[in-house]
Amino acid sequence: MEFLTSPGDWWVDPFIDNIFMRNALWSGLLAVLATSTVGTWVVLRGMSFFGEALAHGVLPGLAIAFIVGGDTTIGALIAALVMVSGINLIRNYSPLPDDSSIGLLYVGFLALAVVIMSSSSGAYSGDLTRFLFGSITGVTNSDLIRQLIIAGIVLLGVVLLHRAFLVMTFDEVQARLMGLRPRLAHAALLALLAISIVASFQAVGNLLVFAFLVAPPSTAAMLVRRIPYIMITAAVLGSVAVVVGLLISYHHDTAAGATMALGTVAMFLVALVIRSFSGAYNVRMAT
């Protein structure tokens, strides 16, 4: 109960006394900012499985860039774009449904990354673990600058394309009639999704970024109605999960990325229970 009896020591001192905790905090908040805004459209459009597959699809690019000594962010972005293109090709030329084509590439890209990183008798297994689960306490100032730039690009894209995304989400035919070019808007959404994932893998890793992408917007969608409010609420909820998750990890020596991701899912479950009881209560009062 130290977080109640000694709130300053528990809540504030870790961020004041440790620069790695401050960097981790900023990294987590920037990751939340990017994933919550674009994740709102992922949830509303029912693209959650695609988001999960894309989060794993960047791994081969990360692995190759790391082994050859290149920039892992550029490698991840190229891999994400290759996966998006591959899914579109399979969708256009294969009789398989969308989820099958996404699932095939999902497994293929993940397996390719493991093969690449294990090709030197396990020499890179530790780095593979870092890519999968993140290393938020190891972020540097250059990592933060990169995240800030990418988060800014995502926010700008979401603001500029809000109308196109909105009409495309609820009425694609109407979007065509209005000259909004829904296919181009869809491609822009995928690009924003890809770079938001790339910006977040350092914080929580590829296996956990899906929680940031989906859980806060899903929770917010149960609490508010309008899309801008969903984005804001999702960012606030994700930020709370980052702060609390980092502090729990610091005081109890747990994995930081997994603790933060678990916090986002816990918020969703709490909101779901509250909403269920509230609905049951309103029905009982009405009868």
Side-chain angles (χ1 to χ4, degrees):
M1 299 295 288
E2 187 181 354
F3 66 96
L4 292 177
T5 58
S6 302
D9 293 341
W10 204 90
W11 292 94
V12 180
D13 286 353
F15 297 116
I16 294 178
D17 298 336
N18 300 281
I19 188 171
F20 72 88
M21 282 291 287
R22 290 198 297 273
N23 286 346
L25 176 63
W26 285 115
S27 178
L29 294 178
L30 289 172
V32 164
L33 188 61
T35 54
S36 293
T37 49
V38 73
T40 296
W41 294 113
V42 170
V43 170
L44 293 177
R45 299 200 68 205
M47 296 171 56
S48 296
F49 182 50
F50 181 89
E52 181 183 10
L54 191 57
H56 294 80
V58 303
L59 280 171
L62 285 171
I64 294 173
F66 180 79
I67 289 177
V68 302
D71 190 316
T72 54
T73 299
I74 295 176
L77 186 57
I78 292 174
L81 296 177
V82 170
M83 185 169 187
V84 169
S85 301
I87 289 174
N88 286 330
L89 284 174
I90 293 178
R91 178 183 296 168
N92 292 332
Y93 296 104
S94 171
L96 295 173
D98 287 353
D99 59 343
S100 297
S101 61
I102 293 172
L104 285 171
L105 288 179
Y106 167 27
V107 173
F109 273 59
L110 180 59
L112 177 61
V114 175
V115 169
I116 293 171
M117 295 298 287
S118 62
S119 59
S120 299
S121 302
Y124 300 104
S125 59
D127 298 290
L128 177 61
T129 301
R130 177 166 62 88
F131 290 147
L132 289 174
F133 299 103
S135 180
I136 193 170
T137 54
V139 296
T140 62
N141 290 334
S142 61
D143 293 326
L144 292 176
I145 293 173
R146 185 184 296 115
Q147 277 192 267
L148 179 61
I149 293 172
I150 293 179
I153 293 173
V154 172
L155 286 177
L156 181 62
V158 167
V159 170
L160 294 178
L161 297 171
H162 176 80
R163 183 165 175 261
F165 290 166
L166 180 64
V167 179
M168 175 184 66
T169 298
F170 298 104
D171 194 339
E172 190 168 326
V173 175
Q174 183 66 24
R176 290 197 189 93
L177 294 175
M178 295 174 64
L180 294 177
R181 305 179 68 180
R183 287 193 176 183
L184 184 59
H186 180 71
L189 177 60
L190 297 185
L192 292 176
L193 174 59
I195 64 174
S196 67
I197 289 172
V198 170
S200 306
F201 79 84
Q202 177 76 18
V204 291
N206 291 88
L207 291 181
L208 300 174
V209 70
F210 183 64
F212 270 23
L213 191 67
V214 174
S218 297
T219 306
M222 292 192 295
L223 303 176
V224 294
R225 295 288 185 182
R226 298 184 60 187
I227 291 175
Y229 294 157
I230 293 176
M231 292 181 180
I232 294 171
T233 304
V236 171
L237 293 174
S239 299
V240 171
V242 166
V243 173
V244 175
L246 279 175
L247 289 171
I248 291 175
S249 171
Y250 177 83
H251 290 293
H252 299 285
D253 198 25
T254 61
T259 306
M260 292 186 296
L262 186 61
T264 64
V265 177
M267 286 183 180
F268 172 79
L269 294 176
V270 170
L272 182 62
V273 170
I274 293 175
R275 181 183 174 89
S276 299
F277 277 106
S278 177
Y281 176 78
N282 290 336
V283 170
R284 190 160 54 248
M285 290 296 293
T287 56

